[in-house]
Every structure is written in C-alpha cells, then in structure tokens.
Amino acid sequence: MNKKAENIIVGISVGDLNGIGSEVILKTFEDSRMLELCTPVIFANAKILSFVKKSFTSTVQFHGVDKLDQIIPGKVNVYNLWKEGVDINFGTNDEKIGEYAIKSFVAATKALKEDLIDVLVTAPINKYNIQSEDFKFPGHTDYLDQELEGNALMMMVQDNLRVGLLTDHVPLNQVSSHLTEELIVRKIETIKKSLIQDFSIVKPKIAVLGLNPHCGDGGVIGKEDDLVLKPVLKKIFDSGTLVFGPFSADGFFGSGQYEKYDAVVATYHDQGLIPFKTLSFGKGVNYTAGLNRVRTSPDHGTGYDIAGKDMADFNSFKEAVYLALDIFRSRNQYEEISEKPLKIKEKQL
C-alpha cells in the first residue's frame, strides 16, 4: 500500500443495473467536493450510465475510458468494461443483468489485486441472478475471501458502532455447529487486528453476544454459551485480548451497553444486523474486514421497488466511500508506524 492519502482511486462495481446501485453511485458524486477526496472509477459502460442518468435529475459529469491507465484524477471515470448495449428494465430480476453485475465485480477485484485501484466499493447485487457455472458464491464477501489474502469477516460500521459476525450467511439451524473454538479465536483475532490497523484503536475492547436467549440461563435454554463460548472467550482474554461476554443479546443494544465497546460480535447474521440497521438509520456500511485490500458496500440491497423512480437514498453508499478512504489512510499510517522501529534497529546495528 504505502500510497499518499490524496487522490485515492476508488474502484466501483456497478451492481445490479436493474436496481438502485447505479443511481446511488451517480448521486454520490453529484457533490463535486467528493472529487477533492478521491478519484472514482466505475466498472461499467458510459452509455449505460448516461441512460441511467436520464432516469433522474442529475448534473454529474463522467469521463469514459477504455483502459485503466487513462484514468483522469479528480474526475468521475467510467471504465468501459463492455461495448455492447444492455437492456435495462428497472425493478426486474434478470439473469443477463446478473452476468454484467458479476463481470463488473470480478474486473474491479482484479484491478484491486493488481493495485490499479486503491480501494473497492461495491454496489448491491442480487444473490439469485448472479449464480452461474463461473460464479458460484453467495455474494461479494465469499469471492473476495478466495481472491484476496487474509480471512474475510463481515463488519457493519456506522461511526463508533461496529458489529462483526462469527457466522454470516449460515442457516439458523446450522449456526451452533459452526461455533467451534478455532472459528471463534480466528474471528476475534481478525476483529482485533482490524480495529487496530483500520480504525486506529490501540487497545480495543470487544463484546461478544451469547447464542441462546439469556445466554442459555445456565444450560436450561441451551448449553452452547456455557460449554463453548465462555471457555473460549476466557482463553482469549487470558492471552491479552480485551474480549468480554457472552452478553444476553436481547437488551444489549436497547440499554446502550454497546457504547462501552469498540466492536460488538454477534453469533449469527440477524442477531447483529437487525439492531445495527435499526440504529444506523440508513447510513450503515458493510466492511469486509480481515483482507489485505479494502472493500466496503452500502448496507442495503438492490431496491427493485424504487429503482428508476429517483427515490433512492445515496447516504449509505456515500458513507461506504468515506469509510473506504478512512481505512485506506489508517492502514497507511499503521504500516508507517510499524516500519519505523525496524529502521531504528537497523541504524543501531
């Protein structure tokens, strides 16, 4: 990484073209001040985005490029990933549109790996129409976990509220079987590392929610909290990580208890995301922690019901761009600080 904080190149995968993704992308960069912070590159086609632009009142100007070395700093760039026209029918689930969503995402990921872009922000996809012989992943995170170094972890972020997941897209009846000591240790370590290098928190405090109602009530409502979570968390705490819990999930957010911690770890998807989305008021960001590259996404889906109607709220996407920039800078700073002790030692030798 180690790149200067100015002129950060933000690669953007266009998502499902029949949804609200392209609308929130363009609305985000209506504000020219965004271009003082970064240079966006949308992986799509300039003609298609011109069509989308006509569906709502927009003054945004973009510049089409056929190669990534033609990117113009301080402008909205559209990398013409394909030449052919695409039939867009807002609000429609279309397998062909799913193919273009994945084409955009795969190309943007490749550019990220090759350092042609600095960070990646992904617009929403439809998890059903993206499936094919070439792409058999539930979503963005699983593919990134395969393509990039590290261990991917879904973390939802809104200001100082950060919610990580021990299990993400796992059916509820399978969650308990996934909660092994190895998984819990790895996920907590990933979150701790992310809080330090991505959010500049020197000694992070992490809270973990229990699996069962009231953490099992001493085994009356399930034994996983007593037999699995508590012993593992104690072992992690004794090794020097400030991890606390498990806490009963039902009152943890409503009581404001989450404000005492730098991150909250939920045992399963809805346990963490329902309170997060209730508290974040449409400004939440989905961050893929634990990887060697930065990827963020808005916390909403394709929005078929409002697509093409100039009704989409772009704030979550805008926050996703801001967070990607903040994390990129924080990682650069962390790397510089980490390298200095080595240089001092070399001089002493």
Side-chain angles (χ1 to χ4, degrees):
M1 205 174 282
N2 285 327
K3 179 177 177 176
K4 290 183 180 179
E6 63 266 18
N7 194 29
I8 299 170
I9 301 175
V10 179
I12 300 170
S13 60
V14 76
D16 191 305
L17 290 163
N18 283 346
I20 62 173
S22 48
E23 179 182 336
V24 298
I25 292 168
L26 295 179
K27 282 182 174 179
T28 293
F29 294 103
E30 288 268 328
D31 186 347
S32 60
R33 291 174 297 182
M34 294 292 292
L35 302 178
E36 296 173 10
L37 303 174
C38 65
T39 296
V41 182
I42 307 167
F43 286 69
N45 175 279
K47 289 182 180 179
I48 288 172
L49 291 183
S50 293
F51 172 81
V52 172
K53 183 179 169 181
K54 292 175 184 176
S55 69
F56 63 96
T57 306
S58 175
T59 58
V60 67
Q61 301 294 320
F62 45 79
H63 175 76
V65 298
D66 295 322
K67 295 180 180 179
L68 290 175
D69 59 8
Q70 297 173 344
I71 293 170
I72 299 178
K75 300 288 185 182
V76 179
N77 296 266
V78 180
Y79 174 43
N80 290 311
L81 190 56
W82 59 82
K83 304 293 184 184
E84 69 274 12
V86 178
D87 291 328
I88 295 178
N89 296 293
F90 290 118
T92 303
N93 180 4
D94 185 340
E95 288 185 6
K96 192 67 178 175
I97 291 295
E99 291 177 13
Y100 283 102
I102 291 307
K103 189 171 187 177
S104 173
F105 172 53
V106 169
T109 302
K110 183 174 183 291
L112 186 67
K113 289 170 65 175
E114 296 174 354
D115 290 326
L116 298 174
I117 59 176
D118 298 315
V119 298
L120 172 61
V121 182
T122 59
I125 55 176
N126 182 323
K127 289 180 172 62
Y128 300 100
N129 68 26
I130 61 170
Q131 304 301 321
S132 68
E133 287 300 315
D134 297 324
F135 194 92
K136 296 180 179 179
F137 299 88
H140 291 119
T141 304
D142 303 87
Y143 180 78
L144 292 168
D145 193 36
Q146 172 188 283
E147 294 297 309
L148 302 176
E149 295 174 16
N151 295 299
L153 181 140
M154 182 188 290
M155 184 187 289
M156 306 302 293
V157 181
Q158 201 265 316
D159 291 337
N160 292 326
L161 172 61
R162 306 175 190 91
V163 177
L165 302 178
L166 291 180
T167 65
D168 40 51
H169 296 130
V170 173
L172 196 55
N173 64 355
Q174 297 177 22
V175 170
S176 61
S177 63
H178 281 73
L179 293 179
T180 63
E181 178 176 342
E182 187 275 333
L183 174 97
I184 297 166
V185 169
R186 174 162 50 85
K187 295 286 187 178
I188 297 296
E189 182 58 34
T190 297
I191 290 171
K192 176 185 176 181
K193 183 179 178 182
S194 178
L195 291 170
I196 293 170
Q197 72 170 15
D198 299 337
F199 297 94
S200 302
I201 300 169
V202 177
K203 196 71 174 175
K205 293 188 293 182
I206 302 166
V208 179
L209 303 180
L211 173 66
N212 297 301
H214 312 296
C215 295
D217 263 346
V220 177
I221 320 175
K223 301 181 184 301
E224 291 88 351
D225 295 280
D226 286 334
L227 298 181
V228 181
L229 276 174
K230 286 181 182 178
V232 176
L233 296 183
K234 183 180 185 305
K235 187 181 291 187
I236 296 171
F237 182 87
D238 290 344
S239 71
T241 296
L242 297 181
V243 62
F244 304 90
F247 295 99
S248 182
D250 57 354
F252 189 82
F253 289 93
S255 65
Q257 200 171 359
Y258 69 92
E259 296 175 349
K260 301 175 184 177
Y261 302 94
D262 299 302
V264 180
V265 184
T267 55
Y268 58 92
H269 186 278
D270 284 11
Q271 185 189 60
L273 267 66
I274 289 174
F276 175 82
K277 290 190 177 185
T278 302
L279 291 167
S280 63
F281 298 102
K283 293 185 178 180
V285 178
N286 180 353
Y287 168 50
T288 306
L291 298 177
N292 65 331
R293 298 287 189 277
V294 178
R295 174 261 176 168
T296 62
S297 179
D299 70 351
H300 58 74
T302 55
Y304 284 155
D305 56 327
I306 59 171
K309 298 178 182 178
D310 194 14
M311 295 171 61
D313 185 339
F314 63 93
N315 279 301
S316 181
F317 190 89
K318 191 173 187 177
E319 292 297 328
V321 174
Y322 284 148
L323 183 62
L325 299 177
D326 288 345
I327 292 174
F328 184 83
R329 296 188 193 101
S330 181
R331 283 196 178 187
N332 268 340
Q333 186 178 42
Y334 177 78
E335 287 182 10
E336 288 173 7
I337 292 171
S338 299
E339 287 173 2
K340 281 180 181 177
L342 294 175
K343 290 179 180 177
I344 291 170
K345 281 185 178 181
E346 286 172 4
K347 286 180 180 179
Q348 289 175 343
L349 291 171

